[in-house]
Amino acid sequence: MYSYLYSAVIHGVKAEIVRVEVDISRGLPGFNIVGLASKTVRESAKRVRSAIINSGFEWPVKKITVNLAPGNINKYGSHFDLAIAAVLLECSGQIKIKNKNKKFFAGELNLNGNINHVKGVLSMLLAAQENNFKEAVLPAQNKKESFLVKNLSSYLIKHLRDVDNLEDNQENILITPKTEIKPAVDYTDLSDIRGQKNAKKAIITAAAGGHNLLLIGPPGCGKTVLAESIVQLLAPLDKKELLETASIYSINNNLEELNLVKKRRPFVAPHHSITAAALIGGGHIPVPGEISLAHNGVLFLDELPEFKSSVLANLREPLEKKRIKIVRQQGSYYFPADFQFIAAMNPCPCGFSGVKDRSCKCSERDIVRYQQKLSGPLKDRIDLQIEVLPLEKDEILTTPPTAKDQNYTDKIEIARKMQAERYLNSNLKNNSELLLKDIEKYCQLDQKSQKILNQAYQRLKLSVRGYIRLMRVARTIADLNNNDLIKESDLIEAVDFRWYAEKSEMLL
């Protein structure tokens, strides 16, 4: 007797469909799984046997062979339990499964037949949708993932007994895709932050042009809350981005951290004690790291010099290529890492170098050593580097106006539309991706701006990369001001952002 059903296996952040075949024949009773099955999959034999017996079914006392096809792909994960058990029961004539060519199965079994939540279901559902599957049989605890995929309905079941006659069993509900409403915690609004006018301008510029940003200032001046405020300024995730990001979170089993209602972009802030494997991804079977969790969102590194140099060095590739490649003996794994990088740091180990009315206890050698922890190649990938100063007494004690701070949200929206129209027929998404050849094409200056640029080049001793960063920022500021050409005021403001960094001795 022979039968089959379908499941999937995760490879990186994508899933591949797996055909689960069962053959029951005469011979010495036994249960064998073939098809490059890992130890986790082979262990399913004992779970499946106990679950079938404890669910009131009979275990076939015959030679049972399970094949996971295709045989050239490594299979791992406990989610194959449900498919193996269901096809075995269907093959032995104990249950009926209609339209099995259009059904997809994933779920882990307890010994009593209960079905547990499994990780990575969203990636599996997307793969099933691409392969024209119409229905999925999933654990009830994976309800949230089932709501996110269109054109694929789901049976959410709690026990192995529920797989018998799914269409006729009234206890099972065929879930059609919809959006689950659940409140989520939001971040600080920029208008609620007191003072820090120049830092706010930098945040707005970074949000409008997708620029990486470094905030340099003493403890307690508001660097972290400024960084968090950018989340509400960024455009909501579109459908494609939402599924991409949610798939990664589903694999890491923390989908609840995403704000699916407002479609907020993720804001990931790992502690400075993080390891390289946790940051970029890794493990025997590689899983996404923090940079992949920040995909389509923001990666914020607070106390940047406190991170190990070897950990920060791993950021160079994803900042440049927007993805990370991890090589293992069984193959290469690619994880997306298209994030906006924001970092914060103190100017010195004690944090008060150059701060008015505060004495710095650090020697000049200590300050230099501390600042040199941030390598040149990493700094070169940060367009905006600004100094954040402590608030004055009046700024702290005076209650800010209740009205929203200017019309910065409208300006950001206008700037995004200008970039979308400008780069419509190119591979560019925003100003932060401009290269030297693009700057010559898209960053036209008027006569006054050209003079300012010449002066800035001499005073700041710009390198080619410094020039590119300056022009990227100037282009975004011009867009915020709804200017087709980069005007004098736009370029002066862009130079000011570099000047703050020059004062803190952090540039070039």
Side-chain angles (χ1 to χ4, degrees), residues 486-502:
I486 298 176
K487 295 188 177 181
E488 181 181 15
S489 59
D490 304 326
L491 193 57
I492 290 175
E493 189 172 340
V495 171
D496 282 343
F497 287 138
R498 281 189 62 84
W499 184 251
Y500 292 130
E502 286 291 338

Side-chain angles (χ1 to χ4, degrees), residues 44 46-57 81-82 85 89 108-116 141 158-162:
S44 67
K46 299 185 184 297
R47 291 193 299 270
V48 168
R49 185 180 186 278
S50 296
I52 286 177
I53 294 173
N54 291 326
S55 299
F57 299 107
D81 290 2
L82 181 58
L89 291 172
E108 178 189 314
L109 290 174
N110 283 344
L111 298 183
N112 62 356
N114 288 335
I115 302 175
N116 293 333
Q141 297 173 13
K158 298 180 180 180
H159 199 276
L160 182 58
R161 287 189 298 266
D162 299 334

Side-chain angles (χ1 to χ4, degrees), residues 7-68:
S7 188
V9 63
I10 302 291
H11 188 87
V13 293
K14 294 187 178 295
E16 297 186 47
I17 298 298
V18 173
R19 184 182 174 108
V20 181
E21 302 175 320
V22 165
D23 177 71
I24 302 177
S25 60
R26 295 179 181 179
L28 188 65
F31 189 97
N32 296 307
I33 300 178
V34 297
L36 283 183
S38 68
K39 183 179 180 181
T40 311
V41 180
R42 293 195 302 270
E43 285 179 347
S44 67
K46 299 185 184 297
R47 291 193 299 270
V48 168
R49 185 180 186 278
S50 296
I52 286 177
I53 294 173
N54 291 326
S55 299
F57 299 107
E58 294 183 4
W59 179 260
V61 186
K62 293 185 179 181
K63 182 181 179 181
I64 302 172
T65 303
V66 178
N67 178 43
L68 305 178

